[in-house]
Amino acid sequence: MIYTLTLNPALDRTLLVKKLIFEDSNRVQKELRYAGGKGIDVSRVINELGGRTIALGFVGGYDGMELEGRLINEGINCDFVTIADETRINIFVENITGGNRTSLHAKGPEVSPSELAMLYNKVKNLPLSTSWFVMSGSLPLGLSDNIYSQFTHLLRDKGVKVFLDSDGEALKKGIKALPFAIKPNLFEIERLAGKKFRNKKEIIIFGKELVSTGIKFVLISMAEKGMLLITNDTVLEAIPPKVEVKSTIGAGDASVAGFIFANEKGMSIPDCLKMAVACGTATALTPGTAL
């Protein structure tokens, strides 16, 4: 069983307009609504591929109920902790004619210590059949940057493979607990390293440094340039075909799902990387936050 954790999920609304004009009325031609959040997107892709997954995290209010209901309607098992504050809404506005888009991201709810304790106990008591545990995305108010590190320590002691996909201090502190795998993009790994990389060789050298600490897989997504996979004894690169990109939202999460799904099926490491890039590319072919 593959579990995913989304601490700050969102109800994503994509508004399609002919052309967004400020200081004027804009008629919405079509509206799309999805359950959003990086870990949730991983569960959605794994479910689409035919894998078994359960989504964990926090939901609150009517928007949280809608988010959970949409996932249930997709056939995704959920085990969320209900919180007092309302689940956030992200709004994406896209021009139908020009393809330009913008987004508005709410800061999200504040999680209380008692609500965090309920989630912690869920994770602590996960069944022995748990193979992978994916932690990804931003943190809501009320949680410290150490939270991913704490969950990683807890799960590694249970023999669970932890996949961490985050950014900033949460990623920096999380990798000190040695998750099984991480997947930063170019911007995230540069922030982690504290410097700009001039070429691919420098990226690989830093990736090797991360692997030397005890992390088994370091995947680095490079958008249309593909993905690097760095392990203790190999460096692999997968380059996607050229496609007409409609939206890059969720492509990285789809890559994580593809890699884990392939690994769960016992595929070779090169084939796991191929599946990761294939899933990310397929997601880029869909509009808005669709997968």
Side-chain angles (χ1 to χ4, degrees):
M1 178 66 73
I2 300 167
Y3 281 81
T4 65
L5 176 64
T6 310
L7 295 173
N8 198 17
L11 184 63
D12 289 343
R13 299 176 61 190
T14 298
L15 307 178
L16 302 177
V17 299
K18 285 186 176 180
K19 186 178 181 181
L20 181 63
I21 303 174
F22 287 94
E23 304 297 335
D24 196 4
S25 297
N26 294 272
R27 292 190 179 278
V28 175
Q29 305 297 309
K30 186 177 182 180
E31 179 177 347
L32 306 172
R33 298 167 76 99
Y34 299 97
K38 293 178 70 63
I40 285 173
D41 283 348
V42 172
S43 276
R44 291 173 64 207
V45 174
I46 288 173
N47 181 69
E48 185 70 17
L49 293 172
R52 298 172 62 232
T53 179
I54 295 177
L56 303 177
F58 298 113
V59 294
Y62 287 108
D63 292 327
M65 291 174 63
E66 180 180 343
L67 182 149
E68 186 172 7
R70 287 183 176 279
L71 289 176
I72 293 170
N73 203 41
E74 289 183 47
I76 297 170
N77 292 318
C78 308
D79 192 10
F80 292 118
V81 170
T82 302
I83 60 175
D85 278 2
E86 187 88 19
T87 293
R88 64 186 176 132
I89 292 180
N90 291 334
I91 298 176
F92 303 87
V93 183
E94 183 171 336
N95 290 335
I96 297 174
T97 52
N100 295 328
R101 64 197 318 275
T102 189
S103 58
L104 302 170
H105 296 262
K107 66 180 181 179
E110 183 168 358
V111 175
S112 71
S114 61
E115 291 164 345
L116 175 59
M118 285 189 283
L119 177 65
Y120 185 86
N121 284 319
K122 281 183 184 292
V123 176
K124 185 178 179 180
N125 294 309
L126 288 181
L128 296 176
S129 59
T130 304
S131 56
W132 282 92
F133 190 92
V134 183
M135 302 185 299
S136 51
S138 62
L139 304 181
L141 298 173
L143 300 191
S144 77
D145 293 332
N146 288 309
I147 192 65
Y148 284 143
S149 175
Q150 292 175 273
F151 279 126
T152 300
H153 279 301
L154 174 65
L155 292 160
R156 284 183 67 232
D157 292 342
K158 294 168 66 73
V160 178
K161 297 175 184 176
V162 176
F163 200 121
L164 176 59
D165 184 12
S166 190
D167 192 11
E169 286 299 312
L171 174 61
K172 189 175 293 185
K173 292 179 179 179
I175 63 175
K176 292 181 179 178
L178 303 181
F180 197 85
I182 61 174
K183 189 214 68 63
N185 60 33
L186 279 178
F187 301 109
E188 291 163 349
I189 200 167
E190 286 181 338
R191 284 191 283 269
L192 183 61
K195 64 178 181 181
K196 291 279 187 180
F197 294 115
R198 293 171 296 181
N199 50 52
K200 195 180 299 180
K201 182 179 179 181
E202 290 188 354
I203 299 173
I204 292 172
I205 290 172
F206 184 69
K208 281 286 190 182
E209 291 176 9
L210 293 173
V211 169
S212 68
T213 65
I215 300 171
K216 300 298 183 184
F217 296 130
V218 174
L219 292 97
I220 303 168
S221 56
M222 303 180 295
E224 74 278 359
K225 294 180 180 178
M227 181 176 286
L228 291 171
L229 171 59
I230 303 169
T231 70
N232 196 40
D233 55 6
T234 189
V235 176
L236 299 172
E237 181 179 16
I239 301 172
K242 293 186 183 298
V243 298
E244 182 184 350
V245 175
K246 294 185 178 179
S247 173
T248 59
I249 297 172
D253 306 322
S255 295
V256 171
F259 183 87
I260 291 173
F261 176 80
N263 183 266
E264 177 97 330
K265 293 295 183 181
M267 295 184 186
S268 67
I269 298 304
D271 283 344
C272 290
L273 180 59
K274 289 179 184 178
M275 178 67 88
V277 174
C279 287
T281 305
T283 297
L285 292 169
T286 61
T289 56
L291 296 180

